[in-house]
Amino acid sequence: MSDNLFAREFFKETVFSDRNLMTPHYTPPILPFREKEIGLLSKNLSLCLRAQKADNFFLYGKTGTGKTAVTRHVLAQLNAFATQKGLLAAGYYINCRQHNSKYQILSKLIKEFFPAENFMGYSASFVYEKVLDFAKKGNQSIIVLDEIDKVKDVDELVYALTRGNDELVNGGLTLIGISNNLTFKDRLDPRTKSSLCEQEVVFPPYNAAELKKILQERTLVAFKPLVVEESAINLASALAAQESGDARTAILLLLRAGDLAEKNNSFKVTDQEVLAAKVRVEEEIILDMISSLPRQQQLVLLAIAELSLQSKGVRRLGLEEETKVLFSGEVYEHYCWKAKELKETLISSRWFRQYISELEMFGLIHTTLSGKGIRGQTRLIKLGFDASKIRNQIEKQLQAA
Ligand SMILES: Nc1ncnc2c1ncn2[C@@H]1O[C@H](COP(=O)(O)OP(=O)(O)OP(=O)(O)O)[C@@H](O)[C@H]1O
Ligand SMILES: [Mg+2]
């Protein structure tokens, strides 16, 4: 047996009692510090269990603040209750990173509504009518659109679903949109905005003490006893709180620290492992964020990375310290050149500005306004992360597409 290729890995000592519980696929059954948000959502959605349409909700807040975990938890509870009581209400979770158009989303819904039927290659209007047919049977459906900012034709989608709903006598469609893009709402058509955001819930970042409690509870179920030192938990919470108050970063720090403790055969998670995991975790989070950006926004970021790598195009300003910065205009020019080279359609300068503000919000770039002297007043852009890593990640994705 010991000759088998897998024997060593299979029998090796591990620090985890269940490593899966440290991965993003796991939704914890108890979510401390989110009682208020859970209460608001469940109170509203309980209307669906009483055969009424609930208010549409828009949930937003920075990355890792528990939006997905809270919604999945509430949905699982609602579905369990509705099944147990035989009620015609159910929640459907859609990740719009994977299903990013109205057609794809409605198609996914009808597959879930009518699992026994086979829907391949049907027209957009057929798919839409099928969604309404399901509601007309008296079903109250809650449609969760996670990462809704990734939907290309979001105005059309929300309009179709809310208009459909207005026509219904029986049944109903309740929407829950989720986004970590704080400027997303401003992009919406005013009508879409008022339909989608009947109620809004903002998820605040977690502070260090809250992250500590979250990590303590997670460590208890995912790690073997006495593996993780308390100071390591304190450090991981402090680092994540300092960065952004993001529970995903905090959990990932301990997961990678645990992996390191196994790799170096110490089987103890101490400050040292957490610190060693820090750089890799930051990189993982940033690269994942980049890979989820829309293609055109990736091209804007690629233009910034390429210009930052060239000494040409980079100005050195005589500030306290020499800072490499780019003029917004030259970034736009380089973006246009890049997009043409790749035969992509060009975005307008208005969209370009929008994408730049979002990249700043995600912490991928920093911008400042120049003084009046240089080319009038213009926006100066500086990359917030390693230029060659950004370029490599985007190029890899462009090749895969
Ligand atoms: N209150 C909490 N208690 C326990 N775990 C939590 C809590 N909030 C978040 N988490 C965990 O932190 C991670 C990130 O949470 P989640 O995926 O819900 O963030 P999000 O707000 O949806 O972020 P994004 O905007 O990036 O999608 C998940 O692994 C989740 O289980
Ligand atoms: Mg999420």
Side-chain angles (χ1 to χ4, degrees):
M1 185 62 199
S2 60
D3 290 331
N4 188 287
L5 191 60
F6 292 97
R8 184 198 287 237
E9 280 298 309
F10 186 75
F11 291 112
K12 85 170 183 201
E13 194 180 336
T14 168
V15 295
F16 299 104
S17 49
D18 188 347
R19 189 177 179 280
N20 280 336
L21 304 189
M22 294 299 285
T23 66
H25 311 291
Y26 171 65
T27 306
I30 297 173
L31 295 155
F33 315 111
R34 287 296 175 252
E35 293 80 8
K36 191 181 92 208
E37 292 77 3
I38 292 173
L40 283 168
L41 261 181
S42 52
K43 188 164 190 300
N44 175 54
L45 294 183
S46 64
L47 287 172
C48 300
L49 297 170
R50 282 187 252 117
Q52 296 162 52
K53 185 196 153 349
D55 280 347
N56 294 335
F57 261 61
F58 181 56
L59 314 182
Y60 68 110
K62 287 192 171 173
T63 189
T65 51
K67 302 179 295 297
T68 300
V70 160
T71 313
R72 276 190 167 281
H73 171 66
V74 171
L75 225 53
Q77 295 269 306
L78 180 134
N79 286 345
F81 189 83
T83 309
Q84 190 199 11
K85 301 278 179 214
L87 304 170
L88 287 182
Y92 301 86
Y93 175 88
I94 298 179
N95 186 322
C96 304
R97 245 199 227 201
Q98 280 135 21
H99 306 274
N100 65 2
S101 70
K102 173 183 158 197
Y103 181 76
Q104 281 185 20
I105 289 166
L106 297 185
S107 300
K108 166 131 176 72
L109 280 175
I110 61 170
K111 280 183 201 144
E112 301 225 14
F113 289 167
F114 304 98
E117 295 182 41
N118 183 11
F119 302 105
M120 286 283 276
Y122 280 100
S123 71
S125 56
F126 173 87
V127 172
Y128 173 66
E129 288 304 324
K130 263 322 237 190
V131 170
L132 294 191
D133 284 350
F134 185 69
K136 284 175 191 159
K137 294 182 197 300
N139 291 293
Q140 288 290 341
S141 305
I142 297 141
I143 304 167
V144 174
L145 301 167
D146 200 356
E147 307 198 33
I148 188 172
D149 47 287
K150 304 287 182 319
V151 182
K152 292 176 199 152
D153 45 1
V154 65
D155 284 316
E156 285 84 345
L157 172 71
V158 173
Y159 178 66
L161 290 172
T162 46
R163 189 196 52 183
N165 203 56
D166 294 343
E167 287 171 13
L168 292 169
V169 184
N170 282 324
L173 303 164
T174 298
L175 302 184
I176 300 182
I178 307 177
S179 178
N180 60 19
N181 184 328
L182 309 180
T183 62
F184 164 72
K185 253 186 355 177
D186 308 331
R187 276 199 223 156
L188 295 173
D189 182 291
R191 206 170 34 182
T192 313
K193 193 161 144 183
S194 64
S195 321
L196 181 63
C197 312
E198 284 174 339
Q199 291 204 44
E200 291 183 15
V201 184
V202 186
F203 282 60
Y206 295 111
N207 62 33
E210 290 170 338
L211 289 173
K212 180 176 170 186
K213 177 95 181 3
I214 291 172
L215 284 184
Q216 277 170 332
E217 294 198 353
R218 195 65 72 92
T219 318
L220 227 46
V221 289
F223 280 86
K224 287 185 176 162
L226 306 176
V227 164
V228 185
E229 287 190 352
E230 190 174 343
S231 71
I233 293 186
N234 288 341
L235 180 61
S237 343
L239 288 173
Q242 203 177 47
E243 287 287 319
S244 51
D246 164 358
R248 182 179 300 116
T249 302
I251 294 169
L252 198 55
L253 269 172
L254 277 196
L255 170 66
R256 295 297 171 225
D259 288 341
L260 273 176
E262 279 182 7
K263 199 168 148 216
N264 60 25
N265 289 321
S266 68
F267 301 102
K268 272 263 168 224
V269 175
T270 68
D271 289 8
Q272 199 184 333
E273 282 73 27
V274 173
L275 281 178
K278 182 173 171 270
V279 177
R280 174 161 172 204
V281 166
E282 276 168 7
E283 195 169 312
E284 248 180 82
I285 297 235
I286 285 176
L287 296 181
D288 177 62
M289 189 188 287
I290 293 174
S291 65
S292 81
L293 298 175
R295 198 175 166 81
Q296 295 292 347
Q297 196 164 22
Q298 287 180 341
L299 289 182
V300 172
L301 188 61
L302 179 62
I304 300 172
E306 285 188 350
L307 285 178
S308 304
L309 287 167
Q310 294 169 9
S311 50
K312 205 178 89 193
V314 175
R315 309 292 190 278
R316 284 167 193 274
L317 294 184
L319 304 174
E320 305 97 60
E321 59 181 288
E322 291 226 311
T323 324
K324 286 187 172 182
V325 287
L326 302 164
F327 286 109
S328 167
E330 67 186 340
V331 172
Y332 186 62
E333 265 171 40
H334 191 71
Y335 154 77
C336 292
W337 174 80
K338 196 78 210 166
K340 274 186 203 141
E341 188 190 55
L342 296 167
K343 302 196 168 49
E344 293 281 340
T345 43
L346 282 184
I347 52 165
S348 66
S349 54
R350 196 188 73 79
W351 265 102
F352 174 78
R353 284 196 299 277
Q354 170 76 24
Y355 277 162
I356 291 288
S357 323
E358 290 179 8
L359 290 173
E360 176 158 41
M361 182 183 72
F362 295 140
L364 292 167
I365 61 170
H366 307 289
T367 77
T368 43
L369 282 178
S370 73
K372 288 264 159 53
I374 320 168
R375 297 189 190 176
Q377 200 173 39
T378 172
R379 193 161 281 282
L380 300 171
I381 299 169
K382 182 168 168 273
L383 212 51
F385 182 67
D386 188 273
S388 37
K389 284 190 178 144
I390 290 187
R391 186 190 57 190
N392 295 347
Q393 174 76 6
I394 299 177
E395 283 180 345
K396 209 162 57 188
Q397 277 203 283
L398 292 175
Q399 277 159 14

